[in-house]
Amino acid sequence: MTTPAAELVGVSQRFGGFTAVDAIDLQIPRGRLTTLLGPSGCGKTTTLRLLAGYSAPTSGRILIDGDDATRTPPEKRNLGMVFQSYALFPHLTVADNVAYGPKMRGVPAAERRRRADEALDLVGLAHLGDRKPKQLSGGQQQRVALARAIAIRPRLLLLDEPLSNLDARLRVQMRAEIRRIQSETGLTVVLVTHDQDEALELSDEMVLMRAGKIVQSGAPRDVFPAPADRFVAEFLGYENFLTLADGRQAAVRPEHLRIVSADAPAGEAVAFDAVVRDVAYRGVDLLVTLEATDPGGHAVRLLADHRADTATGPTPSAGDRVRLLAPEARLALLEPDPTPTEGIS
Amino acid sequence: MSQTVKQGASPAAGHGTSHGMRPRHPVAGTLAVAGYVVMIVPILFVVATAFTAGSTLRFPPEGLSLKWFGEAVAYTPFVEAVVSSLELAVLATGLALLLGVPVTLAIHRGRIPGKGLLEGLFLSPLVVPELVVGLALYQQLMIGLHLDNFTTLLLGHTALLLPYAVRVTGASLALTDPALEEAARGLGASPLRAFVTVTLPMLRPGLISAGLLGFVTSFNNVPLSLLLQTRDFRTLPVTMLDYVQQSYDPMVAAASTLVLAATVVVAVIAERTVGFAKIFGGINR
Ligand SMILES: Nc1ncnc2c1ncn2[C@@H]1O[C@H](COP(=O)(O)OP(=O)(O)O)[C@@H](O)[C@H]1O
Ligand SMILES: [Mg+2]
């Protein structure tokens, strides 16, 4: 295997008595897009800043292209960072912002200009080079920040919540845009986000963090159907948690719980009886709240999506006694939660 | 989009008066007008008497002439004092900025303990009476250390201006995103280059306003300059004060009018080049 583009080895960051990043081991695969995903305050930005060199870890080592860079200052790391605030230089034009990096590297003026044009072209803003950042919309500023980071031909492109300041529609458009830029440039990208949809859609590799630790990592296709523990499952939108007959914990998504009539056969599914408490109409489906006793014998409250077009059973209404089917293949088995009472963040 | 609007609006919010030349509140409006009248009318009297053809400081002026301006410009003690005052104000302002900017950076960006204390220390000359400062400098520096009177005055004025330099440039710095410097570093700039190419341009309005404020404060200062004067180094205000005590002719009014005119010219240049809103916008923070 080739050396990872970057690697954190046992890296911790403490602020006073508080541990923001707790003995993290992380490899950033070359030429791929890795996301750091987790709730606010879990240490994503701190990890990114450690990679970029804006702070030195309290302990541990940071390798870039296999070389120890733990104490290398940011200007010598050659990494392109896009800040959450974009941090465009307000006194420089868009073109000069993008040409700033090459200028600091002593690239001659004509070549600088060419590189800035090329980077602006890549983000579709070649025509706005003479404007000041203030004269651009939020989405355009974000593209300029991206172009500025790319113009230095960085070894890694680091993006801190790049889409969080954009409105919902633009956010979804920019996901595709970031994917395109990544594949056109072949850059190694590390992207921080607290949005699981964003992470699932963008990642080659996703890294889930909680309270300064990595709780799970892998390709979205591997992580999504098999969350390691309840925290990850909740974060990925699993709403229902069951204890199975053998005492193991399992999570299941609302769209995978099937509501059938009380006497229907179970087949290849875990089946148990439930009472409908509430039915909310949501257009494409009904969101059904149920009370049930799970196979482990605990009383649970469950959410099920009921799609009239695919469902086989009767349309549920409040008070109905029904049977719930959770297909074996859809059950995500969870590791026992070591600290069930610990809060998130 | 909403972010752009917010950024544009927040600095303006600090100085509502720039839009509020016609306040809606009638009492406040009346008081404001009264305030301007109290400030401006006496100045107009001085300016008017400067143009008199007579030989006393009296209003209304007797006839119209420029002769007192001629006298003022030709009066050696005034001319020498202007040179002294300018020298002192320029040097003291420069020194205060040179010392004040690093202090500001340390307070706002540095990772040092006791920032509040440091800030308090550098603002303290604002509250210590200048006469006391002057006397202390006189005793310790001139008598004690045998420093000459210009050096002592320069140190005194620098100390006097330092709080303005720290406060005003600090207000500028507080308005700039710390990520700007980090972005510059990430793009390959050394700490010094990041400072020169990014931080310093952000500080420009603060530096200009601190410079103007410092210059005017030093130029107009009386208590320190009075205590630390000698026969061969006197500032303009002290010299004019001396003059008024001895003779009561309109030459002082002419000198004052010239100073006023120079101040107006400086203000107009400042407004044209940076704009008052930008210069003084940061001070309220
Ligand atoms: N410079 C700092 N000093 C003290 N605490 C900090 C500092 N930077 C971050 N933290 C704390 O570390 C934790 C993780 O922060 P951060 O990495 O910004 O989280 P995230 O980006 O995942 O939202 C937070 O609790 C935050 O308050
Ligand atoms: Mg963050």
Side-chain angles (χ1 to χ4, degrees):
Chain A
M1 208 184 119
T2 55
T3 37
E7 193 171 359
L8 305 188
V9 186
V11 166
S12 293
Q13 177 73 282
R14 277 185 281 282
F15 296 114
F18 177 77
T19 304
V21 170
D22 195 356
I24 275 186
D25 291 303
L26 174 64
Q27 299 197 338
I28 307 294
R30 192 178 301 280
R32 331 225 58 200
L33 197 153
T34 303
T35 56
L36 302 181
L37 173 66
S40 176
C42 72
K44 307 180 295 292
T45 296
T46 306
T47 307
L48 206 64
R49 292 175 59 82
L50 284 168
L51 258 176
Y54 293 121
S55 60
T58 316
S59 58
R61 295 200 312 144
I62 296 168
L63 308 180
I64 296 172
D65 284 336
D67 299 324
D68 193 315
T70 314
R71 305 279 148 188
T72 309
E75 64 268 28
K76 301 239 168 72
R77 291 197 187 193
N78 200 31
L79 309 179
M81 173 103 170
V82 174
F83 291 81
Q84 204 170 355
S85 62
Y86 309 145
L88 297 177
F89 306 132
H91 60 299
L92 300 182
T93 62
V94 164
D96 286 342
N97 261 277
V98 179
Y100 184 91
K103 187 173 180 185
M104 291 303 118
R105 284 166 172 66
V107 175
E111 169 67 7
R112 280 201 307 257
R113 183 82 218 177
R114 205 188 57 73
R115 277 211 217 168
D117 287 345
E118 184 185 286
L120 281 171
D121 209 28
L122 186 70
V123 299
L125 289 184
H127 57 298
L128 295 181
D130 295 329
R131 300 252 188 110
K132 286 283 178 71
K134 261 203 297 271
Q135 298 167 306
L136 304 184
S137 72
Q140 290 170 331
Q141 291 182 18
Q142 207 247 357
R143 285 162 189 261
V144 175
L146 210 52
R148 187 177 67 176
I150 290 170
I152 64 170
R153 303 183 174 161
R155 297 193 285 182
L156 264 77
L157 184 61
L158 310 175
L159 312 172
D160 191 0
E161 309 248 7
L163 308 181
S164 64
N165 289 335
L166 305 180
D167 64 46
R169 259 186 51 143
L170 201 55
R171 190 146 59 213
V172 174
Q173 281 175 19
M174 275 309 285
R175 285 182 197 166
E177 192 70 5
I178 287 177
R179 277 241 71 126
R180 177 184 66 79
I181 289 168
Q182 197 270 330
S183 68
E184 271 181 35
T185 57
L187 281 168
T188 305
V189 180
V190 181
L191 183 149
V192 159
T193 179
H194 63 264
D195 180 334
Q196 71 276 17
D197 292 332
E198 199 171 295
L200 288 166
E201 187 175 329
L202 284 171
S203 308
D204 292 309
E205 180 89 1
M206 59 197 272
V207 177
L208 275 125
M209 291 182 65
R210 172 201 195 180
K213 289 197 169 76
I214 293 174
V215 283
Q216 191 173 0
S217 60
R221 276 168 212 280
D222 299 328
V223 173
F224 186 72
D229 61 16
R230 178 160 180 156
F231 166 81
V232 177
E234 275 177 357
F235 202 76
L236 294 178
Y238 286 74
E239 303 273 2
N240 302 311
F241 296 90
L242 308 170
T243 309
L244 302 180
D246 56 8
R248 287 179 307 168
Q249 300 283 315
V252 63
R253 305 181 67 83
E255 60 268 32
H256 295 145
L257 273 183
R258 283 178 54 210
I259 300 171
V260 295
S261 54
D263 51 5
E268 290 288 289
V270 174
F272 47 103
D273 296 330
V275 178
V276 176
R277 283 293 167 223
D278 184 51
V279 178
Y281 179 71
R282 293 200 303 191
V284 289
D285 62 7
L286 302 173
L287 182 65
V288 184
T289 310
L290 306 109
E291 272 171 17
T293 303
D294 69 19
H298 303 282
V300 285
R301 223 178 152 75
L302 302 170
L303 292 175
D305 288 351
H306 186 82
R307 289 186 67 130
D309 51 349
T310 55
T312 51
T315 302
S317 58
D320 286 357
R321 296 194 157 275
V322 296
R323 168 165 276 196
L324 277 177
L325 301 182
E328 298 266 17
R330 299 298 194 182
L331 284 179
L333 295 175
L334 306 178
E335 282 165 17
D337 207 338
T339 48
T341 52
E342 191 186 317
I344 298 166
S345 88
Chain B
M1 196 61 218
S2 71
Q3 207 208 1
T4 332
V5 173
K6 225 163 64 193
Q7 280 173 352
S10 60
H15 50 92
T17 46
S18 67
H19 304 290
M21 293 309 280
R22 278 175 296 150
R24 292 211 191 104
H25 203 286
V27 177
T30 312
L31 282 176
V33 171
Y36 284 123
V37 169
V38 167
M39 268 169 28
I40 288 171
V41 168
I43 293 174
L44 294 180
F45 275 84
V46 171
V47 173
T49 45
F51 288 93
T52 188
S55 57
T56 50
L57 259 178
R58 192 189 297 155
F59 193 85
E62 304 152 10
L64 190 69
S65 109
L66 291 176
K67 73 170 184 180
W68 292 111
F69 287 96
E71 298 263 338
V73 172
Y75 184 59
T76 321
F78 278 4
V79 176
E80 280 174 358
V82 167
V83 173
S84 301
S85 275
L86 285 177
E87 229 179 322
L88 182 62
V90 167
L91 283 175
T93 305
L95 264 182
L97 286 178
L98 227 53
L99 292 171
V101 169
V103 170
T104 308
L105 288 172
I107 289 173
H108 286 267
R109 295 282 198 266
R111 290 188 202 134
I112 44 170
K115 283 184 191 176
L117 196 72
L118 188 66
E119 195 168 11
L121 190 71
F122 277 95
L123 298 185
S124 60
L126 280 178
V127 290
V128 179
E130 283 174 41
L131 274 172
V132 178
V133 175
L135 202 59
L137 291 173
Y138 181 70
Q139 278 184 344
Q140 299 304 318
L141 300 186
M142 273 177 79
I143 308 295
L145 293 177
H146 302 293
L147 291 183
D148 66 29
N149 110 295
F150 180 76
T151 312
T152 312
L153 257 182
L154 184 57
L155 291 176
H157 275 219
T158 303
L160 186 71
L161 306 188
L162 208 50
Y164 294 105
V166 171
R167 185 99 177 83
V168 176
T169 54
S172 248
L173 198 61
L175 292 175
T176 65
D177 182 359
L180 291 181
E181 284 157 53
E182 291 184 335
R185 296 286 303 281
L187 292 167
S190 65
L192 183 65
R193 255 189 125 180
F195 175 77
V196 172
T197 56
V198 174
T199 316
L200 213 50
M202 297 292 100
L203 285 182
R204 209 175 75 110
L207 287 173
I208 292 177
S209 70
L212 281 176
L213 211 59
F215 182 85
V216 171
T217 306
S218 166
F219 197 88
N220 288 330
N221 180 271
V222 173
L224 275 186
S225 305
L226 196 61
L227 269 164
L228 300 173
Q229 65 172 319
T230 56
R231 218 170 262 293
D232 34 66
F233 192 90
R234 256 177 220 167
T235 64
L236 186 63
V238 172
T239 312
M240 282 168 65
L241 207 60
D242 256 11
Y243 188 85
V244 172
Q245 279 164 353
Q246 283 150 29
S247 43
Y248 201 62
D249 67 36
M251 193 171 85
V252 158
S256 304
T257 303
L258 288 174
V259 171
L260 182 69
T263 310
V264 169
V265 168
V266 169
V268 167
I269 292 173
E271 165 64 18
R272 285 283 158 80
T273 50
V274 199
F276 279 130
K278 233 183 177 165
I279 294 177
F280 293 110
I283 293 181
N284 295 334
R285 290 235 345 180

PDB file of all heavy atoms in Angstrom, chain A residues 41 44-46 84 160-161 192, ligand 2:
ATOM      1  N   GLY A  41     -18.677  20.535  18.469  1.00  0.00           N
ATOM      2  CA  GLY A  41     -17.859  20.478  19.671  1.00  0.00           C
ATOM      3  C   GLY A  41     -17.118  19.161  19.866  1.00  0.00           C
ATOM      4  O   GLY A  41     -16.447  18.974  20.877  1.00  0.00           O
ATOM      5  N   LYS A  44     -13.710  18.300  15.591  1.00  0.00           N
ATOM      6  CA  LYS A  44     -13.419  18.213  14.152  1.00  0.00           C
ATOM      7  C   LYS A  44     -12.501  19.350  13.711  1.00  0.00           C
ATOM      8  O   LYS A  44     -11.481  19.124  13.057  1.00  0.00           O
ATOM      9  CB  LYS A  44     -14.721  18.272  13.335  1.00  0.00           C
ATOM     10  CG  LYS A  44     -15.767  17.261  13.749  1.00  0.00           C
ATOM     11  CD  LYS A  44     -17.017  17.358  12.906  1.00  0.00           C
ATOM     12  CE  LYS A  44     -17.788  18.659  13.049  1.00  0.00           C
ATOM     13  NZ  LYS A  44     -18.425  18.864  14.357  1.00  0.00           N
ATOM     14  N   THR A  45     -12.903  20.591  14.061  1.00  0.00           N
ATOM     15  CA  THR A  45     -12.094  21.734  13.648  1.00  0.00           C
ATOM     16  C   THR A  45     -10.710  21.658  14.270  1.00  0.00           C
ATOM     17  O   THR A  45      -9.700  21.926  13.606  1.00  0.00           O
ATOM     18  CB  THR A  45     -12.795  23.047  14.053  1.00  0.00           C
ATOM     19  OG1 THR A  45     -14.025  23.146  13.340  1.00  0.00           O
ATOM     20  CG2 THR A  45     -11.942  24.250  13.731  1.00  0.00           C
ATOM     21  N   THR A  46     -10.650  21.269  15.534  1.00  0.00           N
ATOM     22  CA  THR A  46      -9.357  21.147  16.207  1.00  0.00           C
ATOM     23  C   THR A  46      -8.461  20.158  15.458  1.00  0.00           C
ATOM     24  O   THR A  46      -7.275  20.426  15.235  1.00  0.00           O
ATOM     25  CB  THR A  46      -9.561  20.703  17.667  1.00  0.00           C
ATOM     26  OG1 THR A  46     -10.468  21.602  18.299  1.00  0.00           O
ATOM     27  CG2 THR A  46      -8.254  20.691  18.423  1.00  0.00           C
ATOM     28  N   GLN A  84     -14.152  28.199   7.670  1.00  0.00           N
ATOM     29  CA  GLN A  84     -15.606  28.286   7.737  1.00  0.00           C
ATOM     30  C   GLN A  84     -16.079  29.700   7.403  1.00  0.00           C
ATOM     31  O   GLN A  84     -17.111  29.890   6.782  1.00  0.00           O
ATOM     32  CB  GLN A  84     -16.071  27.882   9.148  1.00  0.00           C
ATOM     33  CG  GLN A  84     -17.488  27.400   9.162  1.00  0.00           C
ATOM     34  CD  GLN A  84     -17.868  26.779  10.500  1.00  0.00           C
ATOM     35  OE1 GLN A  84     -17.040  26.624  11.390  1.00  0.00           O
ATOM     36  NE2 GLN A  84     -19.128  26.442  10.642  1.00  0.00           N
ATOM     37  N   ASP A 160     -13.281  23.260   6.165  1.00  0.00           N
ATOM     38  CA  ASP A 160     -13.985  23.251   7.448  1.00  0.00           C
ATOM     39  C   ASP A 160     -15.432  23.682   7.248  1.00  0.00           C
ATOM     40  O   ASP A 160     -15.693  24.856   6.998  1.00  0.00           O
ATOM     41  CB  ASP A 160     -13.283  24.186   8.444  1.00  0.00           C
ATOM     42  CG  ASP A 160     -13.813  23.998   9.862  1.00  0.00           C
ATOM     43  OD1 ASP A 160     -14.713  23.151  10.061  1.00  0.00           O
ATOM     44  OD2 ASP A 160     -13.327  24.703  10.764  1.00  0.00           O
ATOM     45  N   GLU A 161     -16.346  22.766   7.338  1.00  0.00           N
ATOM     46  CA  GLU A 161     -17.778  23.028   7.162  1.00  0.00           C
ATOM     47  C   GLU A 161     -18.007  23.959   5.969  1.00  0.00           C
ATOM     48  O   GLU A 161     -18.617  25.019   6.119  1.00  0.00           O
ATOM     49  CB  GLU A 161     -18.365  23.671   8.432  1.00  0.00           C
ATOM     50  CG  GLU A 161     -18.037  22.901   9.693  1.00  0.00           C
ATOM     51  CD  GLU A 161     -19.239  22.255  10.342  1.00  0.00           C
ATOM     52  OE1 GLU A 161     -20.331  22.285   9.744  1.00  0.00           O
ATOM     53  OE2 GLU A 161     -19.064  21.707  11.440  1.00  0.00           O
ATOM     54  N   VAL A 192     -14.670  18.693   6.843  1.00  0.00           N
ATOM     55  CA  VAL A 192     -15.327  18.600   8.147  1.00  0.00           C
ATOM     56  C   VAL A 192     -16.799  18.947   7.986  1.00  0.00           C
ATOM     57  O   VAL A 192     -17.142  19.907   7.287  1.00  0.00           O
ATOM     58  CB  VAL A 192     -14.662  19.583   9.138  1.00  0.00           C
ATOM     59  CG1 VAL A 192     -15.587  19.900  10.291  1.00  0.00           C
ATOM     60  CG2 VAL A 192     -13.356  19.012   9.653  1.00  0.00           C
TER      61      VAL A 192
HETATM   62 MG    MG C   2     -15.975  23.272  13.893  1.00  0.00          MG
END
